[in-house]
Amino acid sequence: MVDSTGAALGAAFQELFGLVKHLVMTIAAFRRQLKKIKATLVSIEPIIKDINKFNDQLDRGPEEMAPIKELLDKGKRLVDKCQKIHALNLCMKYKHSRRLAAFNAAVVEKFQLYMPLLGVRDGKEMSVGVKTIGEDVKEIGEDVKELKEWFVLVNGRALQSELETSSDLAVPAAPDFFVGSEVEASLRKLKEQLLEEGASVIVVTAPGGCGKTTLLKKLCHETAIKGKFKDKIMFVPISKKPNLTDIVQKMYQHNRLEVPKIKSEEGAVYCLQQLLKKIGQSPVLLVLDDVWKESESIVDKFVCDDNKDYKIVVTSRYEFPHIHSVHHLNPLTHDEAVELFRRCVTVDDRSTRPPDTQLLNEIVEHCKRLPLVIKVVAKSLRGKNYAFWKKKLRELSEGHSLLDLDTEILACLRKSLDDLDGDPSIKKRFMDLGSFPEDCKIPATALIDMWVQLYELDFDGVDAATDLHELDYRNLADLVLPRRDSKDDDESYRSHYVMQHDLLRELAIMECNQGEVMNRERLILDLMGNNFPNWWIEQKQQPLHARLVSISTDGKFSTPWPNLKLPVVEALVLNFRTNMQTKTYALPEFIANSPMLKALIVTNYSFFPVELGNFHVIGSNLRRIRFERVTVPFLSMGKLCLHDLEKISFFMCDISQASTSTNAKISDAMPNLKELDMDYCNDLVRLPDDICEIKPLQKLSITNCHNFSALPEQIGQLAYLEVVRLNSCTALSRLPDSIRSLQNLRLLDIPECLNLTALPDQIGHMVSLYRINMRGCLKLSGLPKSIVKLRNLRKVVCEEEKAVLWGPLKNTLSQLDITLFEEEPNLDWLE
């Protein structure tokens, strides 16, 4: 009779064995690994069936069976996960194959003690299981080769364009909580409509700030909806001036198809229809968010009669007569509005008690029971006294009765913005958000760069980041981290972006546009074609007094630029789109004549990079430069004079196309550079050696550059270097030996460097090293002996299988914290 311990172990074994036998027949992606596990389980089955007898012979107690049962339970979870990993996701397939192989090895090790008791025949059977473990290494190596070949195959221009926009049409995160029976009823009704088979167009209409977009976010995250539409859910912000070409190209990359180069709107419509037919074999859900009345015709372009199960949901402040399926989202009831208000006025789980119920009720009604307005107003009252609440009520009740609803909402929001006069820095930051296009994801680092220079904040941007959180706290903007497992280890905010409700952006621009153009502190221009405002054409050299200038141009814009006289401008933001006929974007000549300009942010919002022209106008006064999705001659920038430049950033740029035959050196052009940041620059293979002559350099970030293969051998010369980030540099196989000389380095960030095989032998000389992030370093199998000398090392981030390497060091490095990372790696570049 088997006791309860043996019975539990037997049950765990049978559950695992049954699952393996089933999946080995049905899951082709992991068949090799599952066959090996099955062979091992067959060889230990006789032991499991008579475990008590064997334990008696070995003098082992029941308590020693618990770890074996835990191992089998863990194996079941690993095997079960095989069903959830897509066969084309080669990097996750590779990673999971390694875990299966490690599990198989652990089972063999656990049962090795029993083998002599089984006799020669069974021992031979077990040896088969042992032999297969060695074979796993070879086959996993084949997976790596397959992964690399696949990456080379798709690593063209379409993939580079995919890198940032892979999340552009993904469904944004759902809100933490909802208030209102109306929302719940709307969710149920819309879910029923989407789960019905067939093609349909549904309009969800309500005033601005009523929660239409929030409702759709929640809907798309419903289990039943994700179960039906899977990865064919696309969430498309439309905005006031939609660009159909951009939308179609993003839809192609979202569906992992080669992105076409589109020359006209007719071409965009044709490509769209071809795409919808191609993906229409499965159910498709398309959300067109925030469609304006002027853009009504764009909805028809997305209709495809050939698709059997294709749903389009449109959110809009307006109704469209030709679309008959309309869902009206009403404002909250009074009680629901009060509940939301109370939630939002809460500080640290302590509710700010309203002075009296009547006062609270009146304020809520003046908020029109609209969620956006309630949140902004409630958060402006957090911690305020009775007099302030009365003042707020008086402001909200002034002169609204004759205004249309949108204007009234803006007026109401503006009253809360006026409350920031006591905290002018936050009001200024709020107004600065209007410098970026509608519905765009504003990189947090772009705002930090701008604010550091405009407001003379600390170099690392800690104060600027605090302001970002304050805007988020007050509901004036949303600070978003796209993936919960991508949190910046050093709080650099490189993974964060900021989004803003269109009504709040409209309010920010209204505030910026107060007063005469010549005297505005912020000048925000949105040009259509070459239609410059009259005051610009007729300027006659009158100087503008703006400290921040933002100019957005569309695909119809062509140079030359008219002159602007900007004697005091300190930050210039250039946002542009191009068409397929446009090969270059010329920087305006007036940059060269702006003596106070310190921050330059240039962003191409088109799908493909374009060449940046007029590079010579960039002046020596600049402190921070950020380029996005442009071709820039970084390797020939030695010809420039950027002696004050402290930080330069390249995101999704082509930076190695220019000739490097010049004798000019980067170190001569920017001798005072403190931070170099290159992200998703796929044509970067190496850095010029003279980078190592820039003595003040403190931060070096080369991330998601998948052809980057080596750091300069002389990197040890950068005595002041504190941070090295090499995230997802998949071609990087080693770190230079001279890195040992970086005695001020405190952060070494090497996650997902798939080909990195070892840490430097003399890493122990890096005496200031505080944190190492090595998650996803799949080929890194050991630690150098000198690692024990890292007395200041406090944190290591890695997977469980790598944690065993660090475990023995805990006695020597007693303050070391090993953080296990179990989430899937950041594979946006691959997917």
Side-chain angles (χ1 to χ4, degrees):
M1 178 69 70
V2 179
D3 66 10
S4 59
T5 303
L9 184 64
F13 175 85
Q14 290 302 328
E15 288 181 11
L16 171 62
F17 200 12
L19 184 62
V20 170
K21 286 190 287 187
H22 170 66
L23 294 185
V24 80
M25 303 297 294
T26 58
I27 304 294
F30 296 100
R31 186 162 291 149
R32 291 181 305 191
Q33 291 78 21
L34 292 173
K35 280 184 176 180
K36 292 173 176 56
I37 293 173
K38 180 183 176 183
T40 300
L41 296 179
V42 166
S43 65
I44 68 171
E45 188 175 20
I47 301 172
I48 296 292
K49 286 181 177 179
D50 211 353
I51 191 69
N52 285 351
K53 183 184 77 172
F54 289 111
N55 282 340
D56 288 342
Q57 294 179 48
L58 295 172
D59 196 24
R60 306 189 76 188
E63 68 279 356
E64 296 183 74
M65 295 300 96
I68 297 179
K69 182 180 181 302
E70 289 177 7
L71 177 63
L72 297 179
D73 288 339
K74 179 181 178 180
K76 182 187 173 186
R77 292 193 295 272
L78 280 173
V79 171
D80 186 54
K81 193 173 181 180
C82 294
Q83 303 178 80
K84 302 172 184 177
I85 297 176
H86 198 286
L88 293 180
N89 191 340
L90 295 180
C91 198
M92 277 311 299
K93 177 186 168 186
Y94 165 46
K95 189 178 181 69
H96 198 63
S97 294
R98 294 183 81 251
R99 288 174 173 165
L100 292 171
F103 167 70
N104 195 38
V107 173
V108 170
E109 181 183 6
K110 283 287 185 188
F111 284 87
Q112 195 71 37
L113 185 65
Y114 293 93
M115 299 324 298
L117 305 180
L118 278 178
V120 177
R121 183 184 61 83
D122 291 331
K124 287 182 178 179
E125 289 180 2
M126 189 63 175
S127 70
V128 174
V130 176
K131 181 180 178 182
T132 61
I133 296 168
E135 295 172 356
D136 285 339
V137 176
K138 179 180 178 182
E139 292 180 351
I140 290 170
E142 292 173 2
D143 287 339
V144 175
K145 181 180 178 183
E146 184 182 2
L147 170 64
K148 187 173 182 180
E149 290 173 350
W150 184 86
F151 174 71
V152 170
L153 177 66
V154 297
N155 185 23
R157 179 57 48 215
L159 179 60
Q160 181 177 2
S161 299
E162 178 179 324
L163 299 176
E164 177 196 26
T165 55
S166 60
S167 60
D168 278 3
L169 303 189
V171 181
D176 294 332
F177 67 89
F178 275 98
V179 171
S181 56
E182 172 75 17
V183 173
E184 294 298 333
S186 297
L187 272 175
R188 286 195 299 272
K189 181 177 178 181
L190 289 170
K191 191 194 305 187
E192 288 173 4
Q193 290 178 281
L194 296 185
L195 293 178
E196 293 174 355
E197 189 171 345
S200 61
V201 181
I202 305 166
V203 174
V204 177
T205 183
C210 209
K212 303 179 295 294
T213 302
T214 303
L215 173 67
L216 265 295
K217 290 178 186 176
K218 174 67 174 173
L219 178 67
C220 291
H221 281 286
E222 289 284 302
T223 303
I225 298 301
K226 292 199 296 186
K228 175 180 177 178
F229 295 100
K230 299 181 174 60
D231 58 350
K232 296 295 189 292
I233 304 177
M234 292 168 279
F235 204 99
V236 184
I238 297 297
S239 72
K240 283 186 178 180
K241 295 190 295 183
N243 185 304
L244 184 62
T245 297
D246 275 2
I247 293 171
V248 172
Q249 288 174 325
K250 289 175 181 178
M251 289 176 68
Y252 267 84
Q253 67 79 32
H254 180 89
N255 288 282
R256 301 169 187 171
L257 298 171
E258 183 177 354
V259 178
K261 294 187 176 181
I262 302 173
K263 297 183 178 180
S264 64
E265 181 154 324
E266 292 75 17
V269 173
Y270 173 78
C271 290
L272 174 60
Q273 292 298 312
Q274 294 300 306
L275 170 66
L276 292 173
K277 291 175 183 177
K278 187 170 293 188
I279 66 175
Q281 303 303 314
S282 303
V284 176
L285 172 57
L286 180 66
V287 177
L288 302 178
D289 187 41
D290 195 22
V291 178
W292 287 70
K293 195 171 186 178
E294 299 82 359
S295 305
E296 178 180 355
S297 62
I298 198 172
V299 177
D300 296 332
K301 295 180 171 64
F302 289 93
V303 175
C304 182
D305 296 329
D306 295 336
N307 291 23
K308 294 180 179 179
D309 201 348
Y310 174 37
K311 309 290 187 184
I312 301 175
V313 183
V314 178
T315 70
S316 179
R317 301 182 198 179
Y318 313 96
E319 291 188 42
F320 304 121
H322 71 291
I323 300 177
H324 303 298
S325 182
V326 179
H327 183 88
H328 294 272
L329 183 62
N330 297 316
L332 301 173
T333 67
H334 177 79
D335 289 344
E336 292 165 349
V338 169
E339 181 187 349
L340 178 60
F341 192 98
R342 288 185 183 276
R343 278 179 177 254
C344 293
V345 84
T346 297
V347 183
D348 297 330
D349 297 326
R350 291 179 292 104
S351 182
T352 300
R353 181 181 294 277
D356 60 65
T357 303
Q358 181 61 31
L359 183 58
L360 172 62
N361 289 337
E362 291 184 44
I363 289 177
V364 166
E365 284 304 313
H366 281 297
C367 291
K368 304 301 173 187
R369 292 182 276 123
L370 298 175
L372 174 66
V373 182
I374 289 171
K375 290 176 183 178
V376 173
V377 172
K379 291 183 179 182
S380 73
L381 290 172
R382 283 175 168 174
K384 304 298 184 181
N385 57 28
Y386 177 80
F388 194 93
W389 282 62
K390 290 287 288 184
K391 174 176 174 284
K392 171 65 66 178
L393 176 60
R394 185 174 64 254
E395 290 172 347
L396 292 173
S397 60
E398 287 175 352
H400 290 180
S401 57
L402 299 178
L403 302 176
D404 66 76
L405 185 56
D406 278 358
T407 306
E408 193 167 342
I409 293 170
L410 284 170
C412 188
L413 292 170
R414 191 173 188 179
K415 296 299 182 183
S416 291
L417 191 62
D418 290 341
D419 294 337
L420 296 177
D421 288 338
D423 190 356
S425 63
I426 298 302
K427 185 172 182 178
K428 289 177 180 178
R429 310 301 189 268
F430 171 77
M431 294 164 66
D432 292 343
L433 296 182
S435 305
F436 297 86
E438 180 186 7
D439 289 327
C440 81
K441 297 176 180 177
I442 308 171
T445 49
L447 289 168
I448 290 172
D449 285 345
M450 184 169 73
W451 291 344
V452 164
Q453 297 307 142
L454 273 176
Y455 306 114
E456 298 182 350
L457 305 179
D458 62 291
F459 176 81
D460 290 324
V462 174
D463 294 336
T466 301
D467 292 338
L468 281 175
H469 284 283
E470 184 66 21
L471 289 171
D472 182 70
Y473 177 79
R474 292 176 179 268
N475 215 65
L476 295 172
D478 294 319
L479 181 60
V480 182
L481 182 62
R483 299 179 337 122
R484 64 186 178 90
D485 60 303
S486 59
K487 184 180 185 296
D488 304 303
D489 285 326
D490 58 345
E491 298 181 355
S492 63
Y493 291 84
R494 299 174 77 252
S495 301
H496 292 72
Y497 61 85
V498 176
M499 294 197 73
Q500 192 174 38
H501 193 284
D502 55 353
L503 279 172
L504 290 169
R505 181 177 182 273
E506 193 174 336
L507 176 61
I509 293 175
M510 281 175 50
E511 290 295 300
C512 293
N513 289 345
Q514 300 296 312
E516 294 292 326
V517 170
M518 302 302 168
N519 297 319
R520 292 175 187 167
E521 187 174 352
R522 293 165 190 78
L523 184 63
I524 299 177
L525 302 173
D526 193 356
L527 306 180
M528 299 184 67
N530 280 36
N531 296 320
F532 295 91
N534 291 334
W535 62 260
W536 192 346
I537 304 299
E538 300 167 0
Q539 187 192 12
K540 297 179 181 179
Q541 303 305 309
Q542 289 185 14
L544 300 173
H545 293 95
R547 295 180 62 232
L548 167 61
V549 174
S550 167
I551 305 175
S552 300
T553 55
D554 61 12
K556 298 178 182 178
F557 172 78
S558 60
T559 53
W561 293 84
N563 187 42
L564 269 183
K565 204 165 186 179
L566 302 169
V568 297
V569 68
E570 295 181 48
L572 177 62
V573 180
L574 298 174
N575 309 305
F576 67 93
R577 295 182 184 275
T578 60
N579 54 45
M580 290 307 300
Q581 286 73 40
T582 305
K583 302 298 182 183
T584 63
Y585 174 85
L587 293 171
E589 294 282 351
F590 57 73
I591 290 179
N593 301 315
S594 303
M596 301 294 290
L597 186 62
K598 298 175 183 175
L600 175 64
I601 299 172
V602 181
T603 306
N604 170 22
Y605 285 92
S606 301
F607 203 83
F608 295 102
V610 298
E611 184 176 351
L612 199 62
N614 272 6
F615 213 71
H616 64 277
V617 303
I618 296 178
S620 61
N621 46 298
L622 279 166
R623 303 281 180 83
R624 293 186 179 229
I625 300 175
R626 187 182 195 277
F627 295 122
E628 180 169 340
R629 215 190 290 266
V630 294
T631 299
V632 289
F634 173 70
L635 299 181
S636 295
M637 286 177 66
K639 300 175 183 178
L640 300 177
C641 180
L642 299 170
H643 288 184
D644 289 339
L645 191 66
E646 295 180 337
K647 179 182 177 182
I648 187 165
S649 304
F650 303 88
F651 183 72
M652 291 190 66
C653 292
D654 287 345
I655 60 175
S656 298
Q657 300 299 324
S659 170
T660 60
S661 59
T662 175
N663 293 323
K665 298 165 68 175
I666 296 291
S667 56
D668 291 337
M670 45 189 84
N672 294 303
L673 192 68
K674 295 181 180 179
E675 184 169 355
L676 173 61
D677 190 350
M678 296 179 172
D679 196 19
Y680 288 114
C681 297
N682 261 354
D683 63 341
L684 177 68
V685 177
R686 302 180 69 93
L687 291 175
D689 289 340
D690 69 284
I691 284 283
C692 300
E693 298 176 23
I694 305 178
K695 300 304 181 185
L697 196 64
Q698 297 175 10
K699 297 181 180 180
L700 177 63
S701 300
I702 311 294
T703 55
N704 301 294
C705 299
H706 303 294
N707 288 309
F708 182 73
S709 59
L711 286 169
E713 291 295 331
Q714 303 86 357
I715 192 172
Q717 298 176 14
L718 296 172
Y720 293 99
L721 202 59
E722 297 178 3
V723 174
V724 171
R725 301 188 192 93
L726 299 166
N727 311 39
S728 297
C729 288
T730 54
L732 187 69
S733 60
R734 60 177 292 270
L735 300 175
D737 292 335
S738 71
I739 202 170
R740 59 183 285 187
S741 301
L742 299 179
Q743 297 197 6
N744 284 308
L745 195 74
R746 54 183 177 80
L747 171 66
L748 180 61
D749 218 14
I750 51 174
E752 296 153 33
C753 289
L754 302 180
N755 279 300
L756 189 66
T757 57
L759 295 175
D761 284 340
Q762 299 303 320
I763 193 173
H765 289 267
M766 300 163 69
V767 293
S768 298
L769 197 58
Y770 183 87
R771 184 194 307 256
I772 300 175
N773 186 340
M774 51 182 282
R775 70 177 190 266
C777 292
L778 304 177
K779 286 190 175 182
L780 206 157
S781 57
L783 299 176
K785 294 180 180 179
S786 67
I787 206 91
V788 297
K789 298 179 181 179
L790 297 177
R791 301 296 181 182
N792 289 308
L793 189 64
R794 294 293 182 270
K795 185 171 183 179
V796 171
V797 181
C798 61
E799 289 87 355
E800 185 176 1
E801 60 210 57
K802 294 292 188 295
V804 298
L805 302 176
W806 291 94
L809 298 173
K810 291 279 285 185
N811 293 331
T812 307
L813 306 175
S814 58
Q815 294 181 291
L816 180 62
D817 173 34
I818 302 172
T819 301
L820 298 183
F821 185 85
E822 294 298 335
E823 299 295 326
E824 295 184 3
N826 177 10
L827 300 177
D828 292 342
W829 62 272
L830 189 60
E831 302 223 13

